[in-house]
Amino acid sequence: MSEQNVEIVRRMIDAYNRRDRTAWFAFMDPEIETWPVETWPESGPFKGVDVSWDFYAQSDEAWKESGAYEIVEQIDAGDAVFVCVRRDVRGKESAAEIEFRLYQVASFRNGKLIRSRWFLDRDRALEAAGLSE
């Protein structure tokens, strides 16, 4: 099942990059919880498929231009997957070009994403996934 979860994460990110809401929804448990990074202005979790989609769409609004999410690293953690993604963006106001990395712990129930937790710190994400080094 865990190899399947790794593939689901890849396909889910691909669907989001294409802004294919229908394909993205197919990977989500209806009770999905999305937890933003700790510095996000609103605290989580954002619950439900529509609310989670809206959270991601809102996070894109800060950027004049935003590239696709690119998976840099994935580690199978049983019922969860540790993921590092990178993305190139350009700020709306500053026009500054930024490359950033975010870390996700994607947890699954019955082959669907049930919890998505985002981190700015790799070590904290690894710990949350039960993969502390």
Side-chain angles (χ1 to χ4, degrees):
M1 178 74 90
S2 56
E3 282 184 33
Q4 178 184 358
N5 293 343
V6 170
E7 179 62 17
I8 289 170
V9 169
R10 189 195 63 72
R11 293 173 61 201
M12 175 190 68
I13 290 173
D14 181 58
Y16 184 80
N17 283 336
R18 294 187 326 270
R19 300 303 187 265
D20 185 342
R21 186 179 170 117
T22 301
W24 189 83
F25 275 32
F27 301 112
M28 303 297 135
D29 185 286
E31 297 177 12
I32 177 76
E33 292 183 355
T34 300
W35 292 82
V37 296
E38 58 276 359
T39 58
W40 190 256
E42 301 170 48
S43 62
F46 299 101
K47 296 182 179 184
V49 181
D50 288 312
V51 174
S52 290
W53 178 269
D54 292 344
F55 161 74
Y56 290 113
Q58 178 189 6
S59 69
D60 283 343
E61 290 175 8
W63 312 114
K64 180 178 182 176
E65 298 172 19
S66 57
Y69 287 97
E70 176 189 341
I71 296 172
V72 175
E73 177 183 21
Q74 282 184 289
I75 302 173
D76 172 10
D79 288 336
V81 176
F82 165 88
V83 184
C84 173
V85 294
R86 69 168 291 283
R87 191 175 196 199
D88 295 320
V89 295
R90 180 186 305 270
K92 271 186 183 177
E93 300 298 322
S94 68
E97 293 182 20
I98 303 166
E99 175 196 316
F100 67 83
R101 289 178 188 246
L102 291 172
Y103 304 92
Q104 177 190 36
V105 177
S107 301
F108 293 85
R109 177 173 71 188
N110 300 323
K112 301 278 186 175
L113 186 67
I114 186 66
R115 186 174 308 106
S116 178
R117 294 176 58 199
W118 290 93
F119 299 86
L120 296 172
D121 181 80
R122 183 178 187 276
D123 291 336
R124 289 193 63 216
L126 285 168
E127 182 178 336
L131 298 168
S132 298
E133 294 182 337

